Amino acid sequence: MSLDWIYWAISWILLRWHSLWEMIGVPDGTVLGTNWAWILAIIFLVVTVRVILFPVFVKQIKSQRAMQALQPQVKALQEKHKGDRETLQKEMMELYRKEKANPLMGCLPMFLQIPVFLGLFHVLRRLDPSKLNKTLYGWTAEQFDSAASAKLFTAPIAGQFGSSAAELERLGANGTTVKIIAGVLVLIMMGTTYLTSRQMILKTGWAEDPQQRMIQRLMLYGIPASLLVSGAIFPIGVIIYWVTNNLFTLGQQQWVLRKYPPPVINNKDGKAVPGPGARKSTGTQQPQDKPSRFSRSKANGAVQDTKPAVDGKALAPKPGAKPVNPKKRKPAKRQG
């Protein structure tokens, strides 16, 4: 299957944003060693994609909430079919079908962004001044040359941490500078990727289903670790896209998770408890007075038994009278 349509779409969005920033007056030349019109074009490519995928992201959160609500039933099935993995899987698939919950929905937004990532990766890899066909995917020769020379703090956006000496020479780049900028961005990319997964797991909790838990561990640890190796072949422009996407995800997840808080589920005793990550109440509650053992009240407040009030003045000693110590009492007279 040809991916040309993705390359055309990514190029079109990227070029439209670059033209817009040029029209607004963002300089296309270097300021602080950076061509900001192209950097902003990559950043707003992220914004465009995330706005388009926002409804899918909301469905992802709702699906995860549905999966959370089913956790007590999933745990009951695991106890019931312990040791019978095949029957357990069938019962769980039937439960998900009945409750219209999709375990794979949690990964859908990430899968939908993979073509965008691959498209941008391919387009930026083409930014080589030695290319003869500069007008592929709707680019003009002028736009191609401008992007090929675009830099972030003097490091070309088409450069990679693992670029060869010949590639760096064609881009007119300093190898040390490219490695420093790309290395720092890769570390930021790994950190923000870990934080996006951690934020989601802290809010939704670890899944009871072993397969779901395995996916969560892969998202939390596996993907960030893999970026340490694969990040060496990513062009700097692609890393900028990934970091921006992660920062956008952190903000978007925070907003959506507040709007769709974790569901209330039942614990072992059947009592309703807030789901993992539910926000605790910040308001201070006034302590309620404990009912006296001498008072009883019904729901309607119709019956109230209270201890008779005692007049304190009546118990007070009279003026001039000798105080009486209640502990010292005269022995009772014996009956003769």
Side-chain angles (χ1 to χ4, degrees):
M1 180 180 176
S2 175
L3 297 178
D4 281 359
W5 67 273
I6 296 177
Y7 307 148
W8 279 91
I10 296 301
S11 296
W12 186 86
I13 297 173
L14 200 62
L15 294 174
R16 296 292 79 75
W17 277 114
H18 178 260
S19 299
L20 176 63
W21 295 120
E22 274 192 321
M23 184 177 64
I24 291 175
V26 175
D28 199 30
T30 57
V31 177
L32 298 176
T34 303
N35 300 88
W36 293 106
W38 283 111
I39 300 300
L40 288 173
I42 294 173
I43 291 174
F44 277 81
L45 170 64
V46 176
V47 176
T48 304
V49 173
R50 295 310 297 263
V51 169
I52 294 173
L53 294 180
F54 183 75
V56 179
F57 185 80
V58 173
K59 286 184 179 180
Q60 175 199 19
I61 298 296
K62 289 183 177 180
S63 176
Q64 289 176 334
R65 292 292 180 257
M67 294 295 295
Q68 263 187 286
L70 292 177
Q71 289 307 306
Q73 298 180 56
V74 170
K75 198 167 185 178
L77 287 175
Q78 290 173 342
E79 293 292 332
K80 181 179 178 181
H81 301 291
K82 187 180 294 184
D84 189 354
R85 189 173 184 83
E86 184 178 353
T87 304
L88 175 62
Q89 291 299 323
K90 289 181 180 179
E91 292 286 340
M92 288 178 60
M93 289 300 104
E94 178 62 23
L95 175 64
Y96 294 152
R97 185 194 64 79
K98 181 180 176 182
E99 300 295 336
K100 298 180 180 179
N102 188 354
L104 299 178
M105 190 67 186
C107 301
L108 185 59
M110 183 186 70
F111 289 144
L112 291 177
Q113 291 183 74
I114 290 177
V116 179
F117 172 80
L118 293 176
L120 182 62
F121 181 87
H122 177 80
V123 168
L124 292 182
R125 286 291 297 270
R126 285 194 68 253
L127 296 179
D128 187 340
S130 64
K131 294 285 185 182
L132 297 178
N133 187 1
K134 300 181 179 182
T135 59
L136 192 61
Y137 309 134
W139 291 68
T140 65
E142 182 182 358
Q143 289 171 330
F144 185 94
D145 290 334
S146 174
S149 61
K151 295 177 175 60
L152 173 68
F153 303 123
T154 72
I157 62 174
Q160 310 162 17
F161 185 89
S163 292
S164 65
E167 291 172 335
L168 292 172
E169 185 178 356
R170 286 197 300 268
L171 293 171
N174 180 278
T176 303
T177 302
V178 171
K179 280 181 168 50
I180 292 174
I181 298 298
V184 171
L185 287 175
V186 167
L187 293 177
I188 296 174
M189 177 174 64
M190 293 173 61
T192 52
T193 300
Y194 170 80
L195 289 176
T196 55
S197 299
R198 182 175 180 272
Q199 180 189 52
M200 183 65 73
I201 292 173
L202 287 179
K203 290 293 184 180
T204 60
W206 287 97
E208 296 289 344
D209 180 12
Q211 289 185 344
Q212 289 293 307
R213 185 180 285 263
M214 182 179 67
I215 293 174
Q216 286 179 322
R217 290 188 182 280
L218 176 64
M219 298 287 290
L220 185 61
Y221 303 113
I223 294 179
S226 68
L227 294 176
L228 184 61
V229 178
S230 59
I233 65 171
F234 293 165
I236 288 175
V238 170
I239 305 177
I240 294 172
Y241 172 89
W242 193 306
V243 170
T244 306
N245 185 64
N246 286 344
L247 295 175
F248 197 96
T249 300
L250 285 169
Q252 193 177 62
Q253 282 183 172
Q254 185 67 22
W255 181 83
V256 174
L257 290 170
R258 284 178 179 272
K259 187 173 179 63
Y260 299 98
V264 174
I265 58 178
N266 293 328
N267 60 11
K268 294 180 180 178
D269 301 327
K271 295 181 180 180
V273 295
R279 201 189 335 172
K280 296 180 181 179
S281 174
T282 55
T284 56
Q285 296 182 349
Q286 296 297 330
Q288 295 181 353
D289 294 334
K290 295 182 178 180
S292 171
R293 62 175 179 167
F294 298 105
S295 64
R296 292 181 301 134
S297 61
K298 291 188 176 181
N300 297 331
V303 179
Q304 288 186 347
D305 294 339
T306 58
K307 185 179 179 180
V310 178
D311 188 0
K313 292 183 179 180
L315 297 178
K318 295 181 180 180
K322 190 175 181 180
V324 179
N325 189 345
K327 295 183 179 179
K328 294 181 179 181
R329 297 181 181 274
K330 292 181 179 182
K333 292 182 179 181
R334 296 177 63 184
Q335 298 291 334

